Amino acid sequence: MNEKRTIQTVAKAIAAFFHDRKRMPTYTEMMELLDVRSKSAVQFWVRKLLANGFLAKDKKGFLIPSGSFGGLPVVGNVAAGFPSPAEEELRDVLVLEDYLMTKPGTSYILKVTGDSMIGEGIREGDLVIVDREREPKSGDVVVADVDGEWTMKYFTRKGETVILEAANPKYPPIKARSELRLGGVITAVIRKYHQ
Amino acid sequence: MNEKRTIQTVAKAIAAFFHDRKRMPTYTEMMELLDVRSKSAVQFWVRKLLANGFLAKDKKGFLIPSGSFGGLPVVGNVAAGFPSPAEEELRDVLVLEDYLMTKPGTSYILKVTGDSMIGEGIREGDLVIVDREREPKSGDVVVADVDGEWTMKYFTRKGETVILEAANPKYPPIKARSELRLGGVITAVIRKYHQ
DNA sequence: TTGACAATAGAACGTTCGTCCTATAACATA
DNA sequence: TATGTTATAGGACGAACGTTCTATTGTCAA
């Protein structure tokens, strides 16, 4: 860091540290991050970040990320304008971790093979998050054991029986009694372009 | 925590703390988490977690999450078996944060409106992660300014000109000179079912 | 019964953390 | 030129952190 210190550059440096060390820097470490030689200077900037909401404090006084810290800015929709790099207003910020990991412990990730759900926009190579313990409702996409093989299907309950349909006309729908085995309900789909 | 302490229950308790406090508990705090009355007992368990790879230590000696800590287990594909809750072997684990947030700072999130990319499996309401500074290559999905409106299109470079096509036959392809404005390249698509 | 080991308690201790206080340089304002 | 304000340095200090040591309890095998 050779340029002038600003609220933005300082926040960025700390956020970067947190991102790859999985913890907040100590004041002594921040001396290096901000390129200053006293803890007082660090505290000066920390106070600013606290005031601006980039940082917060625990009940126990520990610094923790807050607000727009680990998140990405969200633009309402494609038609709206784009956030400029300079802009630093209170925009919507989304922390993907919090958005997607609603039920760690009962969830797992599945790599999709096959095209049984292309009609739903779920394609080969996508990752889906599956909740093992969620009660399936009609219309949900579920992972089901069909003839000893695990596949994804739409789930529909019709009284006693259950209907499983692919989102692909080339696979026939399946009627099953209640003893069918379910791997869980799909709660999210993730596709990543570029490695 | 009333049951017996095991490596799993202890790891779970600490992971839960980290998940919603965004930091590691201190040894004193772990006394409560693990329901013990001495820091020695805490250290006894911490050592186990360190040995098992659930936790790790900084160069500076701070505890940090490691391995399967904040992540979800990954099952290779639908056809393979499912991880049972008891199972705790070294399975593939994916930390969504690390997987998706490859370039924070130059990325933002966009909520999709319209159906211009349904052929690509990108639907209204999905979130896409857009990298503002990535150089678009042919075949990439980009956000582009078309006649004063931001839309998603396939990007193709043909010598000097650029072709933008929707993944939907009802929108005509567009040829443009180099002065077209791009909002960035889509690096990921996220869809969440259920709130 | 004895011995080994796993699990815990409690206290002592040095280190480092974050806070606070004072002093100083740079810069803008009046 | 005087005078605040902003940004920094350096040192002092108590509190809390993680480590280490010793002691105690329960369980299981010999």
Side-chain angles (χ1 to χ4, degrees):
Chain A
M1 182 183 289
N2 232 339
E3 324 86 43
K4 268 264 246 331
R5 280 172 282 282
T6 66
I7 303 101
Q8 282 76 34
T9 61
V10 171
K12 211 166 162 184
I14 296 178
F17 184 100
F18 184 82
H19 181 256
D20 58 55
R21 304 284 294 269
K22 309 291 186 193
R23 65 170 176 88
M24 281 291 172
T26 66
Y27 280 54
T28 309
E29 286 170 326
M30 289 195 231
M31 284 170 55
E32 270 205 37
L33 280 180
L34 312 188
D35 190 34
V36 295
R37 265 149 306 284
S38 72
K39 288 202 274 185
S40 309
V42 170
Q43 197 170 37
F44 173 83
W45 288 106
V46 169
R47 272 197 238 266
K48 286 208 166 188
L49 297 186
L50 287 168
N52 281 52
F54 285 99
L55 291 178
K57 280 199 183 182
D58 254 344
K59 304 150 198 169
K60 293 206 54 179
F62 290 102
L63 288 178
I64 51 169
S66 158
S68 64
F69 202 91
L72 293 178
V74 178
V75 178
N77 55 60
V78 191
F82 286 105
S84 72
E87 193 178 329
E88 39 81 34
E89 291 311 307
L90 35 136
R91 236 184 292 104
D92 259 7
V93 164
L94 190 63
V95 179
L96 291 176
E97 186 82 1
D98 299 344
Y99 182 66
L100 292 172
M101 297 267 292
T102 48
K103 289 180 69 184
T106 71
S107 299
Y108 60 92
I109 291 175
L110 207 60
K111 186 148 184 211
V112 176
T113 55
D115 57 357
S116 68
M117 293 305 287
I118 45 158
E120 180 65 20
I122 303 177
R123 317 164 93 204
E124 176 134 19
D126 291 358
L127 301 183
V128 291
I129 302 180
V130 186
D131 186 345
R132 199 188 282 115
E133 291 181 3
R134 189 187 182 92
E135 182 70 22
K137 294 195 180 64
S138 291
D140 284 356
V141 181
V142 298
V143 178
D145 181 354
V146 177
D147 297 327
E149 202 172 303
W150 292 98
T151 50
M152 288 194 292
K153 303 276 182 187
Y154 284 122
F155 177 95
T156 312
R157 170 162 280 138
K158 270 235 173 84
E160 282 292 287
T161 63
V162 163
I163 303 174
L164 298 175
E165 316 171 72
N168 187 340
K170 81 180 187 192
Y171 300 104
I174 293 162
K175 276 183 198 157
R177 286 274 156 198
S178 48
E179 80 283 354
L180 89 167
R181 290 175 58 205
L182 289 184
V185 178
I186 273 89
T187 58
V189 181
I190 296 165
R191 183 182 314 140
K192 192 184 173 188
Y193 297 105
H194 317 293
Q195 270 43 263
Chain B
M1 182 181 291
N2 233 342
E3 324 86 42
K4 268 266 245 333
R5 279 172 284 283
T6 66
I7 304 102
Q8 282 76 35
T9 61
V10 171
K12 211 167 163 185
I14 296 179
F17 185 99
F18 184 81
H19 182 257
D20 59 54
R21 304 283 294 269
K22 309 291 187 192
R23 66 170 176 89
M24 281 292 172
T26 66
Y27 281 54
T28 309
E29 286 170 327
M30 289 195 230
M31 285 172 54
E32 270 207 36
L33 281 180
L34 313 188
D35 191 34
V36 295
R37 265 149 306 286
S38 71
K39 288 201 274 183
S40 310
V42 170
Q43 199 170 34
F44 173 83
W45 287 106
V46 169
R47 273 196 239 267
K48 287 208 167 190
L49 297 187
L50 286 169
N52 282 52
F54 285 99
L55 290 178
K57 280 199 183 182
D58 254 346
K59 304 151 200 171
K60 293 205 55 177
F62 289 101
L63 287 178
I64 50 169
S66 158
S68 64
F69 202 91
L72 294 178
V74 178
V75 179
N77 55 61
V78 191
F82 286 104
S84 73
E87 192 178 332
E88 38 82 33
E89 291 311 307
L90 34 137
R91 236 185 295 102
D92 258 7
V93 164
L94 190 65
V95 179
L96 291 176
E97 186 82 1
D98 300 343
Y99 182 68
L100 292 173
M101 296 267 292
T102 48
K103 290 178 69 182
T106 70
S107 298
Y108 60 92
I109 291 175
L110 207 60
K111 186 150 185 210
V112 177
T113 56
D115 57 358
S116 67
M117 294 305 289
I118 46 157
E120 180 65 21
I122 303 176
R123 317 164 91 203
E124 176 134 19
D126 291 357
L127 301 183
V128 291
I129 301 180
V130 186
D131 185 345
R132 200 187 282 114
E133 291 181 4
R134 187 186 182 92
E135 182 69 22
K137 293 193 181 62
S138 291
D140 284 357
V141 181
V142 298
V143 178
D145 180 355
V146 177
D147 298 328
E149 203 172 301
W150 292 100
T151 51
M152 286 195 292
K153 303 276 181 186
Y154 283 122
F155 177 95
T156 312
R157 171 163 280 137
K158 269 234 174 84
E160 281 292 286
T161 63
V162 162
I163 303 174
L164 298 175
E165 315 171 74
N168 187 340
K170 82 181 188 192
Y171 300 104
I174 293 162
K175 277 183 199 158
R177 286 275 156 194
S178 47
E179 81 282 352
L180 89 168
R181 289 175 59 205
L182 289 184
V185 178
I186 274 88
T187 58
V189 181
I190 296 165
R191 183 182 313 141
K192 192 183 171 189
Y193 298 104
H194 318 292
Q195 268 46 258

